[in-house]
Amino acid sequence: MLKFQNLEELIFTVNRITTLNSANLPRKLKVLELCSNDISSLKELCCNPPPMLQYLGLSHNKLSLDSEYNYLSDVFWPNLISLDLSFNDFVNLRNVAFLNFLPNLKNLIFLGNPLALLPNYRGFIIDTLQNLISLDDVLISPDERHHFKGIAKQHDFVVPVSQITIDIGKVTGIPRPFDPLEELPEFPIIESNYFVTYEFLGYPEIPHSSNEPDRKDELVDIQSETPVKGTLSEKDTSSPQVTSTLVLDNAADTAPVESKQAFQVFTHKLPEKPWGDPIIYNYTKMHTVRELYALKQLLQNGLTVTVIEVKILSWPIETEDDKISEASMKRKYKDSAKGAKYSNMDKHGKDKDKKNPPVSLQSDPPIQKILGDYHIDLYSIVTGNHFFEMVCDLGVPKIEEKVKSPTPVIKVTKKEKSAKKKGDDSKFKKESGASTKNKSKATLDKKKAKGRKDIALQVSEGIKPKHLLVEFKLQLQKWLTTSDADNEIYRNSTSFS
C-alpha cells in the first residue's frame, strides 16, 4: 500500500482481517473502511496511523473491551471527523466519554452495540459529546440537546439495565375441541385448555441468607419459566429455534467482563385458558435485563411463540362394590331368564328403582400438543427500532381424530347362542327377529350417518381452514427527554419502597 502515496480512500470491507498495521498505510489517506472483518483490537491499527484520516469505519467487527477507547484519541487520529463503531460489542456506556479526546469528531455511529439497548443511550451520548452534530446518522437538533441537558451528570440516570415489555393480545383460529351439535359419548370426559409460550432471557435464582437484604435493583425474572434445551452461540444465528444457553465464544478477547458467563433462555408460559374464538389474553410482562451482550444475541436470533393444547381425559373408576353389584345383577338376570319375575329389572339386569351412585373419575396424565409455533425476527430492534408489532401466523392446526370410548358393547349373538343350546326355538326365533330388526335399524342409522358425513364434507370443502394467529408486541424502553428519565426513576423508587 505504501506505493500508492496519493491514495486518499481505501476500502477493506469483508476481508476477514484480524489485524492491520497502520504503518503500512499511505500517508495521505483520508477514508479508511474496515467494515465486516474480524478485528478485535485497535492496537496494531494505532502503530503509525495516517495523520490526515477523517473517516474511520469499524462497523461489524469484534471490538468490545473498554481498553479500546484508549486508542480513540487525538494522539492517533487528530483530524478524525466521522467514526463508525456500529455493530460491535461495547457494553459500558460511561466509557463513551473517552471520545471527547477526539476534538474534531462530528459524526458518531454506535448503533448495534449492546449499550444502544439502554433507555438513556442517545441522551447520554448527546449530553456527553458536546461537539457531535450527528448520532447514528440522525442530526442532533438544539431542542434535543436541550431536552437531554444534564442527563449524563446524574448518576441515577446512568442505569446499566434494559427494559423490554412483551404484550400478547388475543389468539384466534384454535380448532374447537368438539362439535356442539354432535352427541358426545358418556366417557371419557375431555377437558381442553390452551396456553401460549415465548422464549426470553431468564436468570437462575440466587439463594439469599436470612440476614442478607434483598437487592431491589436486581429483578429476578424466572416465575413460571422452564429452561429450554440446547445452546446458542454468537456464531449460531441461523437456527429457527432460540435455545437454552448463550455461550459467549472468544470471551477472552471480545466479550465484556460482565458477559463472560452463560445466560439461560427460559420458556415463559402464559396462564391456561379454556377454548374460545378468540382467546383473550391481554398479557403484559416487563423483562429487566442487565446482560446487554446476551440480550443483543437473543434479539438477533429472534423469539419463538408457541400455542399448546393441554387435554385431560377422565374415566370412571371400577371399585370392588361395583364388581359385586355387577355379579349380583347377572345372577338376577339369569334367574329371570329361568322364569322368575323381577318387575323392577331392566333388559340389562339392573334394578330400576335403585339409584345409581355418583361415578368416581380417574384422570389420565395431561396430554400436551403443539398446535403451532412461529419464529419472530426482531433484528429491527437491534438496528434502532424501539417498537415491534405483528400478528404471528402459526399456520393451520391439524385436527386430530376423536377419542373413542373403550366401553365394550354387549352383543346380541351371545344371547342367541345360549338360547339355541337350551332348545328354546320359539324364543330363538323371536330374538332372531328382534336381532334382524336391530341390524336393519343399525344399517339404516349407518346410511344416515354416512349421508350427514358427506354433506358435512361438502360444506367443509367450501370453507377455507382457519389459520392460528397470535397478536404479539415488543417495546424497548427509551427515554426521549431528561424528564422522562426522572419520571421513570421516581416510579421505580416508589414501587420498590
Side-chain angles (χ1 to χ4, degrees), residues 248-442:
L248 308 184
D249 299 339
N250 303 323
D253 297 325
T254 62
V257 176
E258 55 268 29
S259 295
K260 292 180 182 177
Q261 51 183 312
F263 303 102
Q264 292 181 340
V265 174
F266 286 85
T267 298
H268 297 249
K269 175 185 174 183
L270 275 66
E272 294 184 11
K273 289 197 173 186
W275 182 88
D277 195 13
I279 297 178
I280 307 296
Y281 271 104
N282 292 332
Y283 169 90
T284 301
K285 187 176 184 67
M286 178 180 288
H287 297 273
T288 302
V289 183
R290 288 184 174 274
E291 286 71 26
L292 303 179
Y293 183 80
L295 178 60
K296 176 190 170 184
Q297 284 188 289
L298 180 67
L299 294 175
Q300 284 179 330
N301 284 271
L303 308 179
T304 300
V305 173
T306 307
V307 177
I308 299 176
E309 177 189 59
V310 180
K311 184 178 293 184
I312 299 177
L313 306 181
S314 300
W315 308 86
I317 303 175
E318 186 178 11
T319 61
E320 293 296 330
D321 295 338
D322 295 335
K323 292 180 181 179
I324 296 172
S325 176
E326 185 178 355
S328 62
M329 290 302 174
K330 287 182 179 179
R331 286 196 300 270
K332 289 181 180 180
Y333 183 76
K334 288 181 181 179
D335 294 340
S336 64
K338 293 179 180 179
K341 294 183 179 179
Y342 291 95
S343 58
N344 290 333
M345 300 289 290
D346 60 8
K347 63 179 181 179
H348 297 297
K350 295 182 180 180
D351 195 346
K352 294 180 182 178
D353 296 337
K354 186 176 180 180
K355 295 183 179 179
N356 294 327
V359 180
S360 300
L361 298 177
Q362 176 178 329
S363 298
D364 292 345
I367 303 172
Q368 289 194 4
K369 175 187 175 184
I370 297 178
L371 298 181
D373 55 23
Y374 186 87
H375 188 71
I376 303 175
D377 184 5
L378 295 172
Y379 192 69
S380 61
I381 302 296
V382 182
T383 58
N385 289 334
H386 306 154
F387 183 76
F388 179 88
E389 179 181 10
M390 75 172 303
V391 177
C392 305
D393 188 348
L394 282 66
V396 180
K398 293 182 180 179
I399 301 176
E400 63 179 11
E401 296 181 359
K402 298 170 185 177
V403 180
K404 295 181 180 180
S405 175
T407 305
V409 180
I410 300 175
K411 296 183 179 180
V412 185
T413 54
K414 292 183 179 180
K415 300 177 183 178
E416 295 175 357
K417 290 180 180 179
S418 60
K420 187 176 182 181
K421 288 180 181 179
K422 292 177 181 179
D424 191 355
D425 296 336
S426 60
K427 186 176 181 181
F428 174 73
K429 290 179 182 179
K430 185 177 180 181
E431 290 187 355
S432 298
S435 175
T436 306
K437 186 177 180 181
N438 291 335
K439 287 182 179 178
S440 61
K441 185 179 180 182

